[in-house]
Amino acid sequence: MTEDEYEFYNKEFKAFSKNKRFDVTELNIQISNLININVFEEPIEKKVEVEVETSFLNYYKNQMNKIDKPSTKKSYLNSLNKLNQYLLFKNKSDLLFTELTKEFIVSYITYLRNKSLTDSTIKTYLSSMKAVMNDAIDDEDLKVNFPKNPFRKLELKIDVKPKRLVTREDISKLRHITKEDELFIYSRMFLLSLYTNGMRVSDLILLKVGNFTKDYCEYMMLKNKKSMKIDIDRNINKMLIDILELPDYYNQYKATKITTIYGNQSVSYNELTAIIRKRYDNPLDVGNSISYKNYDFVDKNDKELLSNLDRLEDISNQIDVFVKRKIFDDLKKLPKDQYLFQSVIKSDVFKGYNKLNTFTQEQYNKMKSINAFYYTSLKKICKKFDLSVDALSSHNARHTFVNRIILLDGINLNDVRDRLNHSVLSMTSTYISKGFEFKKGKIISDDFNKDHRL
């Protein structure tokens, strides 16, 4: 082996990293066998049944059986199954606490990597084992002389994959999907998630009419039981109209004459838009063009055009207020416990469900099924409407929201952390900045409103 090839050797895990120069699989298996030959390759004597006090596997099963949350229990079971596969590979029927050493963990990681598992997946398996080991160390009734905690100072570096983000053009295509399309409701689910600060799909599915007031959307996050409060803006208004099949109030008000602070004469949104468009067709001086009120190539010396754009913005804001009132009046006529996406749930399995409670097995299975169908539908949307990505996940709206607002002027990482309701900044980013103001939510809403005028 050359000196250049040796640079791929990871001393921490005593294994070669995957690379394009040579196949590491056979080498890593040989290294693993050499490292563990004295521990694992000795003939195994017949033993009596191992008691829970000394068996890590038995203690793991006991801890797993105490878990109520189905998703967590399933994660623990997957981890246990994978660990049992490794023990079988080593001709072992059990794993004692005294055998769970750092060397064992490193060898286990090598085995999983040789099975082509990603470090992210491996970390998930190890997390369950680490949690059980921590429980055991804190368990005063457990009579075991523990070796050093094998998970201490053992870090698995994860290469973060680039997130698939939707573009402004993608968002426009999603918004233009019509009600006649079978994928319409799933496009609205994704867009509503995007416009509500990247709401998680589980919270989206459990969103009720009662979560909406005239000005805010308030709900408890299922994941951490924290409360979220989001300003209702134009985009959320439009999603509510589509999802609940309400009258198209925006089109109604766009044809209504409205008086603005910029003049006594009443004019409708449609009339003023036609005047502005005509002015655009006959610019006074293209050389003096600027961006103004979400319009590009505006002649900065054309006072009439600038004034009309000011009036149009004022009319748009007034229409938003009118529509918000109309929608709230409609919501008051509906049962507060009605799910927004009942047509997607298609059963009463969540009727009366309280987010403070753990899912029943039936509810967990239903949520998992909805998630799977939602993901499949998003993939169909990408293909059918030629989006810039070939697939979307339920978390993609959250990634898109974060990556878009972080570029806005006046928004820092603490603002993003607050909008996502992360408990610590490290969950949002490794960079630290301070100074959140709740009113900055308007900056975010204004940016999304740029994509789509009334």
Side-chain angles (χ1 to χ4, degrees), residues 308-321:
N308 282 335
L309 289 174
D310 287 333
R311 293 179 73 189
L312 189 67
E313 181 184 58
D314 187 44
I315 289 175
S316 298
N317 291 336
Q318 288 191 57
I319 291 176
D320 283 333
V321 174

Side-chain angles (χ1 to χ4, degrees), residues 31-281:
I31 292 170
S32 177
N33 289 336
L34 285 171
I35 290 172
N36 297 287
I37 190 168
N38 293 327
V39 179
F40 296 112
E41 300 304 326
E42 293 178 354
I44 300 173
E45 297 180 4
K46 238 181 177 179
K47 296 181 181 180
V48 296
E49 186 177 349
V50 181
E51 298 294 330
V52 68
E53 282 78 6
T54 57
S55 169
F56 174 77
L57 280 189
N58 285 351
Y59 189 80
Y60 187 104
K61 292 172 187 175
N62 283 353
Q63 294 302 100
M64 180 177 69
N65 290 333
K66 295 176 184 177
I67 298 171
D68 293 324
K69 191 175 181 180
S71 58
T72 306
K73 195 165 190 173
K74 184 174 178 60
S75 178
Y76 270 58
L77 182 60
N78 289 339
S79 176
L80 178 63
N81 289 338
K82 192 60 65 174
L83 179 58
N84 278 326
Q85 288 176 21
Y86 176 64
L87 293 175
L88 184 64
F89 171 73
K90 289 294 184 180
N91 293 319
K92 290 180 65 66
S93 60
D94 194 22
L95 177 65
L96 307 183
F97 277 105
T98 52
E99 295 174 317
L100 188 53
T101 62
K102 186 173 181 179
E103 288 71 28
F104 176 90
I105 299 297
V106 170
S107 176
Y108 182 40
I109 291 172
T110 302
Y111 166 82
L112 294 175
R113 282 176 169 163
N114 288 334
K115 292 290 183 180
S116 300
L117 296 181
T118 65
D119 282 357
S120 179
T121 302
I122 294 172
K123 188 173 182 179
T124 301
Y125 291 143
L126 294 182
S127 294
S128 301
M129 294 173 63
K130 181 179 179 181
V132 171
M133 174 58 88
N134 289 336
D135 288 342
I137 292 172
D138 293 336
D139 192 339
E140 296 178 356
D141 297 327
L142 193 62
K143 299 174 183 178
V144 175
N145 292 321
F146 290 103
K148 288 183 180 179
N149 189 337
F151 296 98
R152 193 162 175 259
K153 295 183 179 180
L154 183 67
E155 294 185 6
L156 201 60
K157 293 182 179 179
I158 307 297
D159 293 329
V160 180
K161 295 180 180 179
K163 306 300 181 185
R164 292 174 296 193
L165 309 176
V166 293
T167 64
R168 293 176 187 267
E169 184 181 357
D170 291 331
I171 295 171
S172 179
K173 289 179 179 179
L174 288 169
R175 290 184 67 128
H176 282 88
I177 297 176
T178 63
K179 293 179 181 180
E180 292 73 32
D181 197 296
E182 63 177 356
L183 298 170
F184 173 78
I185 192 64
Y186 300 102
S187 71
R188 269 41 192 173
M189 285 179 69
F190 184 86
L191 288 171
L192 183 61
S193 174
L194 176 64
Y195 296 139
T196 51
N197 299 0
M199 185 185 293
R200 295 184 181 91
V201 66
S202 55
D203 292 316
L204 198 67
I205 292 167
L206 297 175
L207 205 56
K208 298 179 180 180
V209 169
N211 292 125
F212 291 87
T213 64
K214 183 168 68 69
D215 297 311
Y216 304 106
C217 171
E218 298 182 67
Y219 70 98
M220 177 192 292
M221 292 190 289
L222 185 66
K223 185 174 182 179
N224 55 23
K225 313 305 179 187
K226 291 183 178 180
S227 177
M228 278 290 285
K229 185 176 182 179
I230 302 165
D231 292 296
I232 293 180
D233 61 9
R234 180 182 307 160
N235 291 298
I236 295 177
N237 280 339
K238 291 194 171 187
M239 292 304 103
L240 289 175
I241 287 173
D242 285 349
I243 294 164
L244 296 172
E245 298 182 347
L246 303 178
D248 191 345
Y249 294 121
Y250 275 104
N251 272 338
Q252 292 178 17
Y253 280 112
K254 280 162 69 173
T256 304
K257 291 184 181 294
I258 298 173
T259 303
T260 72
I261 60 174
Y262 297 97
N264 295 325
Q265 185 178 3
S266 296
V267 63
S268 73
Y269 177 92
N270 290 340
E271 290 171 340
L272 195 54
T273 301
I275 293 171
I276 291 171
R277 188 177 294 114
K278 186 176 181 181
R279 197 76 172 185
Y280 253 98
D281 293 338

Side-chain angles (χ1 to χ4, degrees), residues 259-452:
T259 303
T260 72
I261 60 174
Y262 297 97
N264 295 325
Q265 185 178 3
S266 296
V267 63
S268 73
Y269 177 92
N270 290 340
E271 290 171 340
L272 195 54
T273 301
I275 293 171
I276 291 171
R277 188 177 294 114
K278 186 176 181 181
R279 197 76 172 185
Y280 253 98
D281 293 338
N282 300 283
L284 297 179
D285 189 350
V286 179
N288 288 319
S289 64
I290 58 171
S291 293
Y292 188 74
K293 304 292 184 183
N294 300 339
Y295 281 82
D296 295 323
F297 308 111
V298 176
D299 185 350
K300 64 181 180 181
N301 295 322
D302 190 339
K303 296 190 184 320
E304 182 181 343
L305 178 57
L306 295 176
S307 176
N308 282 335
L309 289 174
D310 287 333
R311 293 179 73 189
L312 189 67
E313 181 184 58
D314 187 44
I315 289 175
S316 298
N317 291 336
Q318 288 191 57
I319 291 176
D320 283 333
V321 174
F322 297 154
V323 171
K324 191 181 290 188
R325 288 174 184 165
K326 281 285 189 181
I327 291 175
F328 184 58
D329 287 340
D330 288 337
L331 290 177
K332 287 190 292 185
K333 299 172 185 176
L334 299 173
K336 286 188 175 183
D337 60 352
Q338 176 180 320
Y339 287 108
L340 243 64
F341 295 103
Q342 185 59 43
S343 62
V344 174
I345 299 174
K346 297 177 181 176
S347 80
D348 293 329
V349 67
F350 295 114
K351 187 175 182 180
Y353 172 68
N354 187 326
K355 283 188 174 181
L356 291 174
N357 299 329
T358 304
F359 279 151
T360 63
Q361 189 62 49
E362 184 184 9
Q363 289 169 337
Y364 171 74
N365 291 340
K366 184 64 176 178
M367 182 63 75
K368 188 176 178 182
S369 172
I370 295 172
N371 263 290
F373 197 79
Y374 177 53
Y375 175 81
T376 302
S377 299
L378 290 179
K379 195 169 184 178
K380 288 180 180 178
I381 286 174
C382 291
K383 185 176 181 179
K384 183 174 181 178
F385 297 96
D386 193 26
L387 301 192
S388 63
V389 291
D390 56 6
L392 292 174
S393 70
S394 57
H395 215 56
N396 190 266
R398 197 167 177 82
H399 294 313
T400 300
F401 172 80
V402 171
N403 282 270
R404 180 160 172 180
I405 68 171
I406 197 63
L407 300 176
L408 300 179
D409 291 336
I411 298 294
N412 60 50
L413 289 169
N414 254 305
D415 300 332
V416 179
R417 181 192 64 79
D418 191 276
R419 303 308 287 185
L420 298 179
N421 214 330
H422 282 164
S423 56
V424 292
L425 193 63
S426 59
M427 293 176 68
T428 310
S429 176
T430 56
Y431 299 96
I432 298 177
S433 182
K434 296 182 179 179
F436 176 77
E437 302 169 35
F438 187 75
K439 66 182 181 182
K440 288 184 179 178
K442 187 175 186 306
I443 298 175
I444 299 168
S445 294
D446 288 346
D447 180 68
F448 281 107
N449 284 342
K450 287 179 183 178
D451 292 347
H452 305 282

